[in-house]
Amino acid sequence: MINLYKPQNRNKDEDGKDQDKKIGHDRFYQERSRSRRKKTCNRRVQSENNFNSSELRLARQMSIGRSSSIESPPSKWVNLQKVFLMKTRSTSMPRHEYSALRLENGSEKNSNDRHQQIQLQDATYTSCQQYLEYGGRYELQRRLGMMGSRPDKHWFVIKDKSLGAERLLSLVEVPQQCPLQTTATTRETMLELFRSLQHPYIHPILDVEFWDIGAAFICPLNYSGSLKDLIYGENWQEDHGRKYSGKGQGLPYRQVQCLGRQILEALLFLQNRNYPKFYHLHSGNVIIQNGVARIAAIENPLLGLPPKPPAVDECLAFGYLLFEMTTGYELPTPPSAAHLKIELERTPKIAETLWDIFESDSCPTIEELLRDDLFRGVELRELRRTTGISYVTSAEVNDLLESVKVAPLPTPITR
């Protein structure tokens, strides 16, 4: 099989160099279809005559009492380190653990007091706003809810004023076991690394900032949500603890083939770029952009963040993901032979692939899975744009990757 992702010795052309140096661009953004749609009038530009009297009266009442002082620059910086420490000391849950811990009776354990959580979110919002105003390039639009399972991670919608585009900012506390120094030099090296990792099946990281309150990663804002949102038919902005409580819907066979092949191509790309093992593969870390799967959260191994259980390597994690795409729910442990036979009776090819992953003497490699009959014939139109693209990694990037690889692995990780 021809490997498209092996390093090449050819130099980039001048256009490629200029593009790589730009912050905030996604080279492989998937364009939306250009089908004609009926134009609708924007409510913001409608005449007052188009609204009824009750709507106008309600709008006037809501506008009374609004303060204009929010636009004035803050007089004092907010330090969230004490807030984070207070939060972690007041709970029995270890830092960076996942919040979806279930008791024997099936109820979820609420690790944080609701009032304290609201205080933390407000303080995070204020501090993030101040940092962005100080930087000048980005403008804070709004705060999002707890979309993920990490209790110490926060999401915001921001605007890139230089490009006029909305972006997603994720803010996470840097753990003590982080193998990297959060310095300006490290930031520049990480940006160089992320620019070299732009790929049709990887959700790009466009910018990085290291603040006292944590590490901020800026990515494209995607309104389609994650693969998990697709499986469960949920809105991407809803809280994680509520929207995945029931069982989802298995995806069509052909869609499972396409998305699975795209995810494998992304894993192969990272592997051939000498990237650390990606123990963070699950349906919540796969973004769906116009029907195309793009692996997200590639910054997690660099920060030393603990992965979500069962915390296995890429091939086993892909097996769990393949099962979830087919059946509509995820498993905490490997499926048994009887389980595969009953649940996947209508999809024997998927059952055979999962058998090879979980029941064979040795788990297949990514290359072997790509040669599997289930994925071998899938057309990958997005890869046509990668033809002829070469890359050269600097010594600083190679040293950063090596320092992450030799660092102790965060727990829990199942080898």
Side-chain angles (χ1 to χ4, degrees):
M1 183 180 65
I2 298 177
N3 195 330
L4 300 176
Y5 310 125
K6 286 295 184 182
Q8 305 292 330
N9 294 325
R10 291 174 295 179
N11 293 328
K12 301 177 184 178
D13 55 21
E14 293 300 322
D15 292 338
K17 287 183 179 179
D18 292 339
Q19 180 68 15
D20 283 351
K21 291 179 181 178
K22 293 180 181 178
I23 294 177
H25 291 272
D26 179 6
R27 177 188 295 176
F28 298 103
Y29 173 75
Q30 307 299 325
E31 292 289 347
R32 294 184 178 272
S33 60
R34 300 185 180 275
S35 57
R36 294 183 179 180
R37 296 181 179 179
K38 184 179 178 180
K39 294 184 178 180
T40 57
C41 184
N42 191 339
R43 290 181 63 90
R44 290 185 177 271
V45 298
Q46 287 180 359
S47 169
E48 185 173 287
N49 295 330
N50 295 343
F51 296 91
N52 57 46
S53 57
S54 60
E55 289 178 327
L56 289 173
R57 185 165 52 254
L58 178 60
R60 294 190 184 100
Q61 291 175 353
M62 293 177 63
S63 64
I64 297 176
R66 286 183 178 175
S67 174
S68 60
S69 61
I70 191 172
E71 298 181 358
S72 59
S75 58
K76 188 176 182 180
W77 286 75
V78 176
N79 191 339
L80 284 187
Q81 289 178 324
K82 295 181 180 180
V83 181
F84 276 117
L85 290 174
M86 179 180 65
K87 173 176 74 74
T88 54
R89 290 172 181 171
S90 62
T91 175
S92 59
M93 178 187 292
R95 293 170 63 184
H96 305 286
E97 287 294 331
Y98 285 81
S99 59
L101 302 178
R102 297 186 179 274
L103 302 177
E104 292 182 357
N105 59 5
S107 62
E108 290 193 3
K109 180 181 178 181
N110 185 4
S111 61
N112 297 310
D113 179 75
R114 181 60 180 169
H115 179 68
Q116 187 180 17
Q117 185 178 9
I118 293 175
Q119 284 184 326
L120 174 65
Q121 291 176 348
D122 292 341
T124 307
Y125 178 89
T126 303
S127 187
C128 183
Q129 184 181 44
Q130 293 170 345
Y131 276 107
L132 292 177
E133 288 179 351
Y134 179 79
R137 172 164 182 168
Y138 302 103
E139 178 183 357
L140 185 60
Q141 300 284 314
R142 64 183 185 276
R143 179 181 64 198
L144 298 172
M146 301 302 292
M147 302 187 301
S149 51
R150 293 186 185 274
D152 59 351
K153 192 170 186 178
H154 306 268
W155 290 265
F156 306 90
V157 176
I158 64 175
K159 182 179 179 180
D160 187 339
K161 293 187 288 186
S162 64
L163 300 176
E166 282 190 326
R167 302 300 188 199
L168 178 67
L169 184 148
S170 60
L171 178 65
V172 63
E173 185 185 6
V174 179
Q176 294 180 353
Q177 67 271 19
C178 178
L180 303 177
Q181 298 291 328
T182 55
T183 63
T185 303
T186 302
R187 174 185 178 270
E188 293 300 323
T189 306
M190 290 181 70
L191 282 174
E192 180 186 350
L193 170 63
F194 291 142
R195 283 194 292 267
S196 71
L197 294 178
Q198 290 219 4
H199 187 271
Y201 305 135
I202 292 180
H203 198 237
I205 296 176
L206 306 177
D207 203 355
V208 181
E209 294 290 348
F210 292 130
W211 299 334
D212 291 339
I213 57 176
F217 296 90
I218 297 173
C219 302
L221 180 61
N222 182 61
Y223 288 95
S224 300
S226 66
L227 176 56
K228 201 173 193 71
D229 294 325
L230 177 65
I231 294 172
Y232 286 81
E234 295 290 346
N235 188 294
W236 67 281
Q237 298 186 68
E238 297 296 327
D239 285 350
H240 180 275
R242 291 196 296 265
K243 60 182 179 179
Y244 304 136
S245 57
K247 181 180 178 181
Q249 183 70 33
L251 303 179
Y253 177 76
R254 180 60 180 169
Q255 190 173 21
V256 172
Q257 280 185 302
C258 292
L259 297 179
R261 176 64 188 269
Q262 293 163 1
I263 293 169
L264 287 173
E265 290 287 346
L267 293 175
L268 179 63
F269 175 80
L270 291 175
Q271 175 182 286
N272 289 333
R273 289 294 181 96
N274 200 33
Y275 207 73
K277 278 189 172 295
F278 190 68
Y279 293 95
H280 299 265
L281 179 64
H282 58 81
S283 58
N285 281 343
V286 178
I287 298 299
I288 302 298
Q289 186 185 82
N290 297 322
V292 176
R294 307 187 78 179
I295 289 182
I298 60 174
E299 73 277 7
N300 288 355
L302 305 181
L303 294 180
L305 294 175
K308 177 182 178 181
V312 292
D313 65 20
E314 298 101 329
C315 293
L316 284 174
F318 179 78
Y320 283 100
L321 181 55
L322 182 60
F323 183 90
E324 184 180 2
M325 284 194 292
T326 309
T327 62
Y329 66 97
E330 60 179 333
L331 291 175
T333 57
S336 63
H339 204 172
L340 293 177
K341 183 177 181 180
I342 296 174
E343 288 287 353
L344 305 175
E345 182 179 4
R346 297 183 179 180
T347 53
K349 282 190 176 182
I350 297 178
E352 291 175 6
T353 303
L354 288 174
W355 174 272
D356 291 337
I357 294 175
F358 290 109
E359 299 294 335
S360 61
D361 295 334
S362 60
C363 182
T365 64
I366 297 174
E367 291 89 343
E368 290 171 340
L369 287 173
L370 283 168
R371 291 194 295 267
D372 190 279
D373 291 340
L374 181 61
F375 306 111
R376 186 167 51 189
V378 176
E379 182 184 5
L380 300 172
R381 293 176 297 177
E382 297 80 17
L383 288 184
R384 297 171 185 171
R385 300 176 60 185
T386 65
T387 304
I389 295 179
S390 60
Y391 66 93
V392 178
T393 55
S394 65
E396 291 78 12
V397 170
N398 292 330
D399 291 343
L400 183 146
L401 293 176
E402 283 302 317
S403 64
V404 174
K405 286 184 174 183
V406 300
L409 293 174
T411 55
I413 286 185
T414 305
R415 292 189 179 277

